[in-house]
Amino acid sequence: MKFGVGQSVKRTEDIRFVTGQGQYTDDLHFPNEAFACFHRTAQSHAKILSVDISAAKAAPGVVDVLTYADVKAFGAKPMPCMAPVPTRDKSPMHTTPKPILANDKVTFTGEAIAMVIAETYAQAKDAAELVAVEYEVLDAVGTLAAAPNGPQIWDGAKNNETFDWADGDEDAVKAAFAKAVHKVSLEVVQNRISAMPMETRNAIGVYDKATDHYTIYVTSQGAANLRGGLARGVLNLPIEKVRVITKDVGGGFGMKGFLYPEQPMVMIAAKKVGRPVRWSAERTESFLADDHGRDMITTGELALDRDGKILAMRITGTANMGGYLSVYAPFIPTLAGGRIFGGVYRVPSLFANIKGYFSNSAPVDAYRGAGRPEAAYLMERLMDAAAAKTGIDRTEIRRRNLPSPSELPYENWSGISFDSGDYPRLLETGLKRADQAGFAARKAESAKRGKLRGFGFGYYVEITGAAGQEPAAIKFTENGGVELYCGTQSNGQGHETSFAQLVAEKLGVPFESITVKQGDTEWVNGGGTGGSRSLNMSGGALMVTSDEVIKKGKAAAGQVLQAGGKDVGFQVVEGVGKFAVSGSDRTITVGELAVTLKREKLPGFENGLDSDGMYTGQAATFPNGCHVCEVEIDPDTGQVQMMSYHVLDDFGRVINPMLVAGQVHGGIVQGLGQALLENIVYDETTGQLLTASFSDYAMPRALDMPDIDFAYEEIACKTNALGAKGCGEAGTVGALPAVMSAVADALGVLHIDMPATPERVWRALRQKKAA
C-alpha cells in the first residue's frame, strides 16, 4: 500500500509549515486583547515584605496589575505536585505550598511576583519594571551539591530534603557484594539542562462573562492534562467551565508537559479585566522560569563474579528539585527510570536510594527521556568501568551479561518483563556496522595529525508510557473526508502523518482524505504526549476505534446492500476497504458507505460510521539498541570533534521509517548537546543564574554533528497489537553513554563528567599528565 504502514511517507503537516500556514499560539489574535508581562524577582531567596504596584498601575497604557491578592480573591490554590513518591520510612514527602504568584517569599531567581496587563507588550514590560518589592534577603544555596548543608528553604524540610526514596532488596545486594570477586564504583553527574524549544511558552486567556466559561489557548503537550490541572488543580473550577486549545507546537521535549503559573494567571486576568489577555515568554524568561531537566549526582556500584558476570548493583544518588516541586518532579529521578536501573543486563539484585533536595534554582522536571537517559548513562559508564577493573574487553563484558532471545521474556530485578529483542546480536551488529575492527588504524591516523581518537558505545533500553486508557474518535464528512480525533499532541513528531498511515491501512480509505484533529478538550480528552506513549496509546485507540467503524459498517452495509440476512464481510484489497455481501458481487467501499449514511440517515445509523473508541494500555514497551560514537580531541585546546555516529535500534514495528529517523536524529543531537555543550549553572552561594542567554548556554549546531548512520530492526513487541515500541526519546537515552564513553576512551581515563567542554577536557589532560 503506497501510504500504508512501513512507508516513508512525507509529512503532510509540513506543507502548511513551510508555506507559513502553521498556526502557533502566538499567531492567534482576538479583538480588544491585552498584553501581559510578569515582574520577576532578581532575588534567589528572600522574604517579601511589601509589593508596591502604584507606579506600575499609573504607567502609560496599563490596564491592571495583579498580585497575590488577586490570586487569593479568585480562590486559586497553590501549584500542585501530582507525582509524590513513597519515602523510605513511609512518611509523606515534604511538599511545597507554592502560590501561582509569590506571596510571602521567593525561592528562585525569576519567580513571578506581579502580572502587568497593558495595551501593548512594550507598555506592559516597561511598567513591570516599576513594580517595587521590598525584601528581607536570605542566605541562598544554588547547587545540588551544597543543598544538604545549605540554608533551609522550606519550613519542615530539614537539610532541604523533600524525599528519601528506596527500592530493591538491600539485604540481597549486601550479600552479593560480600561474595563478589570484583567490585566497581563510579560517581557520575547529570548536568542541568534547559529544553529551549524554538517556540517559547505562551498562553492566551479568554473569559466569557455570559456563560462564566474560560478558554485558554496554550502551547502544550496535551490539552486534557492541562485542563485538569488548571480547573481542579489550581483554579478550583468545575472542569466543564474550562476549555483548553493547543494549536501547532514548536517543540516540547517534556518541558511543555506541565502546569505553569502563567497559565492560570492569564485566565484570572481575562476575567478581571474583561478582555483576552496574552503572554509569551522572552528567551531569558525561558532560561529563568521554564522547568529544567536532569541535575543529579549518582554513585553506582557493581558486584561481579570471577567471570565478569553481574551479581548485584547498588545506586545512591541525589536529585535537585529546585525552589519548589513541579508537577512530576519527584517521579523523574526515582520511578521513571528506576524501574529499569540495570538496563537490559542480567542484574539479579539491585538496591537504589535516591534523595531529593530543594535548592534556590528553577524547578526541575521531565526532559527528553525523563529518568531513562540517567539510568542508561549510569549503567553504561559502570560497564566500561567494570571492563577496566576486570580486564575483560568492553564488548565481551556486555555480551556476558545480556540475556539471549531464548531467555525472553526476561524479568528484571523490579519485576519489569522485557518481552522481545535480540540484545547480543544487535550489540554485535551495531559494532560491526561501526567498523570496530578498523578503529586501531583510524586511531593511528589521528595520532599522526596530533589528535586523540576515542571509540565509545553503549547498549541502552528505554521504558515507554503505557498506563491507563486513551480515547480516540473517527468521523466522516459528507464529502468523503475522514477525521481522526486524538488525545495526544504532536510537538513536531509527525503524528498527523503516522496516525493517518495507520488508519488508511486499517480501513482502506485514501491517505489524502484523512485529517488528524488534536489539541482541543471539546473533542477528546486523552493523556497527551510524553514518555514515548503516543504510538502505543493513540495508535492503539485508533485501531480500537477503526474496529468499531468496521463493526458498525458491516451492519449498515447489510441494509444498504440489501443483504437479506446474509453475512457481510470486510477486507482491504489493494488499498481499498470494502464491505461485501457473502456469496454475491454486492460491495461498497468505506467511503461510499460513509457518504451514503451521512446523506440518507438510515434508522440506527443517525451518526453514520462515526465511532468512538477507548484503548487500555497493556504494558510498557522497551525500545533498545546499540549506539556507537567516535571522537577526535585536540590535546592543545581540549576541543572534541564528532567523527562518526552509528545507531542500530530495535523499535518493533516501524510505521514510518523517515519519521523514526528524524526522531532518532533529534534525540541524538539533544544527547550530544548535554554530553558536550549544554549546562545550566547557578552560583552556589547566591543562587544567581549564570547562564541566562545563548551567549552563556551552548546549544548544539549543525557543525557539531557528524552524519548519523541510522538503521533499525523490527523485532515486534509482544504486548500490543501494533507490535510497536516507540522511538521519541530513545536517541537521547543512547547518546549520553556512547558520546562520553568515546571521550573517556580518547583521553585514556576511566571517566569524565558531562559536559565535556574544551576547558574540562583540557584540564583532564593536564591532570593526567601531572599524575
Side-chain angles (χ1 to χ4, degrees), residues 1-10 12 497-505 509-512 514 575 655-656:
M1 184 174 178
K2 182 179 179 182
F3 296 108
V5 171
Q7 303 298 310
S8 287
V9 178
K10 290 184 178 179
T12 56
T497 303
S498 55
F499 290 164
Q501 287 180 259
L502 284 172
V503 173
E505 180 167 290
V509 295
F511 175 82
E512 300 89 344
I514 298 175
I655 309 304
N656 185 315

PDB file of all heavy atoms in Angstrom, residues 1-10 12 497-505 509-512 514 575 655-656:
ATOM      1  N   MET A   1       0.851  -1.197   0.000  1.00  0.00           N
ATOM      2  CA  MET A   1       0.000   0.000   0.000  1.00  0.00           C
ATOM      3  C   MET A   1       0.880   1.238   0.000  1.00  0.00           C
ATOM      4  O   MET A   1       1.767   1.378   0.852  1.00  0.00           O
ATOM      5  CB  MET A   1      -0.915  -0.013   1.226  1.00  0.00           C
ATOM      6  CG  MET A   1      -1.907   1.125   1.266  1.00  0.00           C
ATOM      7  SD  MET A   1      -3.064   0.951   2.659  1.00  0.00           S
ATOM      8  CE  MET A   1      -4.016   2.445   2.443  1.00  0.00           C
ATOM      9  N   LYS A   2       0.633   2.152  -0.914  1.00  0.00           N
ATOM     10  CA  LYS A   2       1.524   3.271  -1.145  1.00  0.00           C
ATOM     11  C   LYS A   2       1.730   4.117   0.108  1.00  0.00           C
ATOM     12  O   LYS A   2       2.856   4.541   0.401  1.00  0.00           O
ATOM     13  CB  LYS A   2       0.975   4.138  -2.279  1.00  0.00           C
ATOM     14  CG  LYS A   2       1.882   5.318  -2.633  1.00  0.00           C
ATOM     15  CD  LYS A   2       1.296   6.120  -3.788  1.00  0.00           C
ATOM     16  CE  LYS A   2       2.191   7.313  -4.112  1.00  0.00           C
ATOM     17  NZ  LYS A   2       1.632   8.140  -5.203  1.00  0.00           N
ATOM     18  N   PHE A   3       0.664   4.391   0.850  1.00  0.00           N
ATOM     19  CA  PHE A   3       0.771   5.250   2.028  1.00  0.00           C
ATOM     20  C   PHE A   3       0.548   4.476   3.317  1.00  0.00           C
ATOM     21  O   PHE A   3       0.173   5.052   4.335  1.00  0.00           O
ATOM     22  CB  PHE A   3      -0.243   6.397   1.931  1.00  0.00           C
ATOM     23  CG  PHE A   3       0.008   7.329   0.775  1.00  0.00           C
ATOM     24  CD1 PHE A   3      -0.831   7.331  -0.324  1.00  0.00           C
ATOM     25  CD2 PHE A   3       1.092   8.189   0.786  1.00  0.00           C
ATOM     26  CE1 PHE A   3      -0.598   8.191  -1.394  1.00  0.00           C
ATOM     27  CE2 PHE A   3       1.327   9.048  -0.273  1.00  0.00           C
ATOM     28  CZ  PHE A   3       0.489   9.045  -1.367  1.00  0.00           C
ATOM     29  N   GLY A   4       0.771   3.170   3.274  1.00  0.00           N
ATOM     30  CA  GLY A   4       0.491   2.339   4.427  1.00  0.00           C
ATOM     31  C   GLY A   4       1.637   2.266   5.414  1.00  0.00           C
ATOM     32  O   GLY A   4       2.656   2.958   5.309  1.00  0.00           O
ATOM     33  N   VAL A   5       1.463   1.390   6.373  1.00  0.00           N
ATOM     34  CA  VAL A   5       2.450   1.196   7.427  1.00  0.00           C
ATOM     35  C   VAL A   5       3.754   0.676   6.836  1.00  0.00           C
ATOM     36  O   VAL A   5       3.767  -0.195   5.965  1.00  0.00           O
ATOM     37  CB  VAL A   5       1.906   0.217   8.485  1.00  0.00           C
ATOM     38  CG1 VAL A   5       2.987  -0.168   9.483  1.00  0.00           C
ATOM     39  CG2 VAL A   5       0.711   0.838   9.207  1.00  0.00           C
ATOM     40  N   GLY A   6       4.867   1.240   7.297  1.00  0.00           N
ATOM     41  CA  GLY A   6       6.179   0.831   6.816  1.00  0.00           C
ATOM     42  C   GLY A   6       6.721   1.685   5.695  1.00  0.00           C
ATOM     43  O   GLY A   6       7.876   1.525   5.294  1.00  0.00           O
ATOM     44  N   GLN A   7       5.912   2.635   5.195  1.00  0.00           N
ATOM     45  CA  GLN A   7       6.342   3.500   4.096  1.00  0.00           C
ATOM     46  C   GLN A   7       6.859   4.834   4.632  1.00  0.00           C
ATOM     47  O   GLN A   7       6.315   5.393   5.584  1.00  0.00           O
ATOM     48  CB  GLN A   7       5.172   3.763   3.144  1.00  0.00           C
ATOM     49  CG  GLN A   7       4.550   2.516   2.568  1.00  0.00           C
ATOM     50  CD  GLN A   7       5.531   1.718   1.735  1.00  0.00           C
ATOM     51  OE1 GLN A   7       6.199   2.277   0.856  1.00  0.00           O
ATOM     52  NE2 GLN A   7       5.624   0.431   1.990  1.00  0.00           N
ATOM     53  N   SER A   8       7.895   5.354   3.999  1.00  0.00           N
ATOM     54  CA  SER A   8       8.444   6.660   4.376  1.00  0.00           C
ATOM     55  C   SER A   8       7.648   7.770   3.709  1.00  0.00           C
ATOM     56  O   SER A   8       8.122   8.480   2.818  1.00  0.00           O
ATOM     57  CB  SER A   8       9.925   6.749   3.992  1.00  0.00           C
ATOM     58  OG  SER A   8      10.715   5.965   4.846  1.00  0.00           O
ATOM     59  N   VAL A   9       6.412   7.912   4.173  1.00  0.00           N
ATOM     60  CA  VAL A   9       5.532   8.941   3.631  1.00  0.00           C
ATOM     61  C   VAL A   9       5.991  10.313   4.132  1.00  0.00           C
ATOM     62  O   VAL A   9       6.276  10.494   5.318  1.00  0.00           O
ATOM     63  CB  VAL A   9       4.075   8.682   4.082  1.00  0.00           C
ATOM     64  CG1 VAL A   9       3.149   9.774   3.556  1.00  0.00           C
ATOM     65  CG2 VAL A   9       3.618   7.305   3.606  1.00  0.00           C
ATOM     66  N   LYS A  10       6.058  11.277   3.222  1.00  0.00           N
ATOM     67  CA  LYS A  10       6.445  12.629   3.629  1.00  0.00           C
ATOM     68  C   LYS A  10       5.387  13.218   4.540  1.00  0.00           C
ATOM     69  O   LYS A  10       4.192  12.963   4.390  1.00  0.00           O
ATOM     70  CB  LYS A  10       6.637  13.515   2.401  1.00  0.00           C
ATOM     71  CG  LYS A  10       7.852  13.154   1.568  1.00  0.00           C
ATOM     72  CD  LYS A  10       8.046  14.120   0.408  1.00  0.00           C
ATOM     73  CE  LYS A  10       9.290  13.773  -0.394  1.00  0.00           C
ATOM     74  NZ  LYS A  10       9.479  14.698  -1.538  1.00  0.00           N
ATOM     75  N   THR A  12       2.642  15.194   6.008  1.00  0.00           N
ATOM     76  CA  THR A  12       1.598  16.028   5.412  1.00  0.00           C
ATOM     77  C   THR A  12       1.536  17.397   6.073  1.00  0.00           C
ATOM     78  O   THR A  12       1.212  18.401   5.428  1.00  0.00           O
ATOM     79  CB  THR A  12       0.234  15.341   5.536  1.00  0.00           C
ATOM     80  OG1 THR A  12      -0.013  15.039   6.917  1.00  0.00           O
ATOM     81  CG2 THR A  12       0.203  14.051   4.755  1.00  0.00           C
ATOM     82  N   THR A 497       0.834  12.476  10.151  1.00  0.00           N
ATOM     83  CA  THR A 497       1.192  11.553   9.063  1.00  0.00           C
ATOM     84  C   THR A 497       1.107  10.104   9.521  1.00  0.00           C
ATOM     85  O   THR A 497       0.461   9.274   8.870  1.00  0.00           O
ATOM     86  CB  THR A 497       2.609  11.864   8.562  1.00  0.00           C
ATOM     87  OG1 THR A 497       2.663  13.226   8.139  1.00  0.00           O
ATOM     88  CG2 THR A 497       2.992  10.959   7.413  1.00  0.00           C
ATOM     89  N   SER A 498       1.732   9.783  10.629  1.00  0.00           N
ATOM     90  CA  SER A 498       1.791   8.385  11.054  1.00  0.00           C
ATOM     91  C   SER A 498       0.419   7.845  11.453  1.00  0.00           C
ATOM     92  O   SER A 498       0.072   6.703  11.133  1.00  0.00           O
ATOM     93  CB  SER A 498       2.774   8.213  12.213  1.00  0.00           C
ATOM     94  OG  SER A 498       2.459   9.067  13.291  1.00  0.00           O
ATOM     95  N   PHE A 499      -0.399   8.647  12.132  1.00  0.00           N
ATOM     96  CA  PHE A 499      -1.735   8.183  12.501  1.00  0.00           C
ATOM     97  C   PHE A 499      -2.590   7.968  11.257  1.00  0.00           C
ATOM     98  O   PHE A 499      -3.384   7.028  11.183  1.00  0.00           O
ATOM     99  CB  PHE A 499      -2.404   9.178  13.444  1.00  0.00           C
ATOM    100  CG  PHE A 499      -1.797   9.225  14.824  1.00  0.00           C
ATOM    101  CD1 PHE A 499      -2.060  10.279  15.678  1.00  0.00           C
ATOM    102  CD2 PHE A 499      -0.962   8.214  15.273  1.00  0.00           C
ATOM    103  CE1 PHE A 499      -1.510  10.337  16.949  1.00  0.00           C
ATOM    104  CE2 PHE A 499      -0.400   8.257  16.552  1.00  0.00           C
ATOM    105  CZ  PHE A 499      -0.668   9.314  17.389  1.00  0.00           C
ATOM    106  N   ALA A 500      -2.430   8.848  10.286  1.00  0.00           N
ATOM    107  CA  ALA A 500      -3.177   8.684   9.036  1.00  0.00           C
ATOM    108  C   ALA A 500      -2.751   7.412   8.314  1.00  0.00           C
ATOM    109  O   ALA A 500      -3.587   6.707   7.724  1.00  0.00           O
ATOM    110  CB  ALA A 500      -2.961   9.899   8.138  1.00  0.00           C
ATOM    111  N   GLN A 501      -1.469   7.082   8.351  1.00  0.00           N
ATOM    112  CA  GLN A 501      -1.000   5.841   7.730  1.00  0.00           C
ATOM    113  C   GLN A 501      -1.656   4.620   8.375  1.00  0.00           C
ATOM    114  O   GLN A 501      -2.064   3.674   7.684  1.00  0.00           O
ATOM    115  CB  GLN A 501       0.522   5.731   7.854  1.00  0.00           C
ATOM    116  CG  GLN A 501       1.295   6.667   6.941  1.00  0.00           C
ATOM    117  CD  GLN A 501       2.798   6.511   7.120  1.00  0.00           C
ATOM    118  OE1 GLN A 501       3.435   7.322   7.798  1.00  0.00           O
ATOM    119  NE2 GLN A 501       3.364   5.475   6.533  1.00  0.00           N
ATOM    120  N   LEU A 502      -1.738   4.638   9.705  1.00  0.00           N
ATOM    121  CA  LEU A 502      -2.347   3.506  10.412  1.00  0.00           C
ATOM    122  C   LEU A 502      -3.785   3.284   9.978  1.00  0.00           C
ATOM    123  O   LEU A 502      -4.194   2.154   9.665  1.00  0.00           O
ATOM    124  CB  LEU A 502      -2.307   3.752  11.925  1.00  0.00           C
ATOM    125  CG  LEU A 502      -0.990   3.575  12.660  1.00  0.00           C
ATOM    126  CD1 LEU A 502      -1.130   4.044  14.103  1.00  0.00           C
ATOM    127  CD2 LEU A 502      -0.555   2.109  12.625  1.00  0.00           C
ATOM    128  N   VAL A 503      -4.565   4.365   9.960  1.00  0.00           N
ATOM    129  CA  VAL A 503      -5.990   4.236   9.660  1.00  0.00           C
ATOM    130  C   VAL A 503      -6.219   3.991   8.171  1.00  0.00           C
ATOM    131  O   VAL A 503      -7.126   3.237   7.790  1.00  0.00           O
ATOM    132  CB  VAL A 503      -6.743   5.482  10.157  1.00  0.00           C
ATOM    133  CG1 VAL A 503      -8.205   5.447   9.713  1.00  0.00           C
ATOM    134  CG2 VAL A 503      -6.655   5.565  11.680  1.00  0.00           C
ATOM    135  N   ALA A 504      -5.399   4.597   7.328  1.00  0.00           N
ATOM    136  CA  ALA A 504      -5.525   4.350   5.892  1.00  0.00           C
ATOM    137  C   ALA A 504      -5.348   2.869   5.597  1.00  0.00           C
ATOM    138  O   ALA A 504      -6.089   2.291   4.783  1.00  0.00           O
ATOM    139  CB  ALA A 504      -4.494   5.173   5.119  1.00  0.00           C
ATOM    140  N   GLU A 505      -4.388   2.235   6.240  1.00  0.00           N
ATOM    141  CA  GLU A 505      -4.164   0.812   6.017  1.00  0.00           C
ATOM    142  C   GLU A 505      -5.264  -0.041   6.640  1.00  0.00           C
ATOM    143  O   GLU A 505      -5.721  -1.010   6.047  1.00  0.00           O
ATOM    144  CB  GLU A 505      -2.807   0.404   6.576  1.00  0.00           C
ATOM    145  CG  GLU A 505      -2.499  -1.078   6.386  1.00  0.00           C
ATOM    146  CD  GLU A 505      -1.050  -1.432   6.652  1.00  0.00           C
ATOM    147  OE1 GLU A 505      -0.202  -1.034   5.844  1.00  0.00           O
ATOM    148  OE2 GLU A 505      -0.801  -2.101   7.673  1.00  0.00           O
ATOM    149  N   VAL A 509      -9.022   3.498   3.429  1.00  0.00           N
ATOM    150  CA  VAL A 509      -9.504   4.792   2.935  1.00  0.00           C
ATOM    151  C   VAL A 509      -8.310   5.564   2.396  1.00  0.00           C
ATOM    152  O   VAL A 509      -7.166   5.321   2.807  1.00  0.00           O
ATOM    153  CB  VAL A 509     -10.209   5.587   4.053  1.00  0.00           C
ATOM    154  CG1 VAL A 509     -11.478   4.875   4.497  1.00  0.00           C
ATOM    155  CG2 VAL A 509      -9.275   5.804   5.241  1.00  0.00           C
ATOM    156  N   PRO A 510      -8.533   6.495   1.456  1.00  0.00           N
ATOM    157  CA  PRO A 510      -7.400   7.224   0.877  1.00  0.00           C
ATOM    158  C   PRO A 510      -6.638   8.004   1.949  1.00  0.00           C
ATOM    159  O   PRO A 510      -7.239   8.709   2.760  1.00  0.00           O
ATOM    160  CB  PRO A 510      -8.057   8.163  -0.131  1.00  0.00           C
ATOM    161  CG  PRO A 510      -9.362   7.526  -0.461  1.00  0.00           C
ATOM    162  CD  PRO A 510      -9.813   6.860   0.798  1.00  0.00           C
ATOM    163  N   PHE A 511      -5.335   7.891   1.929  1.00  0.00           N
ATOM    164  CA  PHE A 511      -4.487   8.622   2.874  1.00  0.00           C
ATOM    165  C   PHE A 511      -4.758  10.119   2.789  1.00  0.00           C
ATOM    166  O   PHE A 511      -4.817  10.815   3.807  1.00  0.00           O
ATOM    167  CB  PHE A 511      -3.017   8.317   2.557  1.00  0.00           C
ATOM    168  CG  PHE A 511      -2.029   9.102   3.371  1.00  0.00           C
ATOM    169  CD1 PHE A 511      -1.677   8.702   4.644  1.00  0.00           C
ATOM    170  CD2 PHE A 511      -1.425  10.251   2.850  1.00  0.00           C
ATOM    171  CE1 PHE A 511      -0.756   9.422   5.403  1.00  0.00           C
ATOM    172  CE2 PHE A 511      -0.507  10.979   3.592  1.00  0.00           C
ATOM    173  CZ  PHE A 511      -0.173  10.563   4.874  1.00  0.00           C
ATOM    174  N   GLU A 512      -4.944  10.608   1.572  1.00  0.00           N
ATOM    175  CA  GLU A 512      -5.131  12.046   1.367  1.00  0.00           C
ATOM    176  C   GLU A 512      -6.455  12.552   1.940  1.00  0.00           C
ATOM    177  O   GLU A 512      -6.633  13.756   2.127  1.00  0.00           O
ATOM    178  CB  GLU A 512      -5.083  12.386  -0.133  1.00  0.00           C
ATOM    179  CG  GLU A 512      -3.779  12.010  -0.810  1.00  0.00           C
ATOM    180  CD  GLU A 512      -3.797  10.571  -1.358  1.00  0.00           C
ATOM    181  OE1 GLU A 512      -4.684   9.791  -0.940  1.00  0.00           O
ATOM    182  OE2 GLU A 512      -2.920  10.250  -2.168  1.00  0.00           O
ATOM    183  N   ILE A 514      -7.605  11.888   4.889  1.00  0.00           N
ATOM    184  CA  ILE A 514      -7.581  11.845   6.351  1.00  0.00           C
ATOM    185  C   ILE A 514      -7.015  13.142   6.928  1.00  0.00           C
ATOM    186  O   ILE A 514      -5.978  13.641   6.481  1.00  0.00           O
ATOM    187  CB  ILE A 514      -6.749  10.650   6.842  1.00  0.00           C
ATOM    188  CG1 ILE A 514      -7.381   9.333   6.375  1.00  0.00           C
ATOM    189  CG2 ILE A 514      -6.620  10.657   8.358  1.00  0.00           C
ATOM    190  CD1 ILE A 514      -6.558   8.107   6.703  1.00  0.00           C
ATOM    191  N   GLY A 575      -5.433  -1.696  -1.149  1.00  0.00           N
ATOM    192  CA  GLY A 575      -5.546  -0.399  -0.504  1.00  0.00           C
ATOM    193  C   GLY A 575      -6.954   0.145  -0.377  1.00  0.00           C
ATOM    194  O   GLY A 575      -7.136   1.253   0.133  1.00  0.00           O
ATOM    195  N   ILE A 655       6.248   2.372  11.772  1.00  0.00           N
ATOM    196  CA  ILE A 655       5.141   2.871  10.953  1.00  0.00           C
ATOM    197  C   ILE A 655       5.644   3.703   9.787  1.00  0.00           C
ATOM    198  O   ILE A 655       5.191   3.547   8.658  1.00  0.00           O
ATOM    199  CB  ILE A 655       4.167   3.714  11.813  1.00  0.00           C
ATOM    200  CG1 ILE A 655       3.746   2.941  13.072  1.00  0.00           C
ATOM    201  CG2 ILE A 655       2.951   4.142  10.999  1.00  0.00           C
ATOM    202  CD1 ILE A 655       3.126   1.589  12.797  1.00  0.00           C
ATOM    203  N   ASN A 656       6.606   4.606  10.064  1.00  0.00           N
ATOM    204  CA  ASN A 656       7.142   5.478   9.025  1.00  0.00           C
ATOM    205  C   ASN A 656       8.644   5.634   9.258  1.00  0.00           C
ATOM    206  O   ASN A 656       9.061   6.368  10.157  1.00  0.00           O
ATOM    207  CB  ASN A 656       6.444   6.846   9.062  1.00  0.00           C
ATOM    208  CG  ASN A 656       6.865   7.762   7.925  1.00  0.00           C
ATOM    209  OD1 ASN A 656       8.043   7.887   7.614  1.00  0.00           O
ATOM    210  ND2 ASN A 656       5.891   8.419   7.308  1.00  0.00           N
TER     211      ASN A 656
END
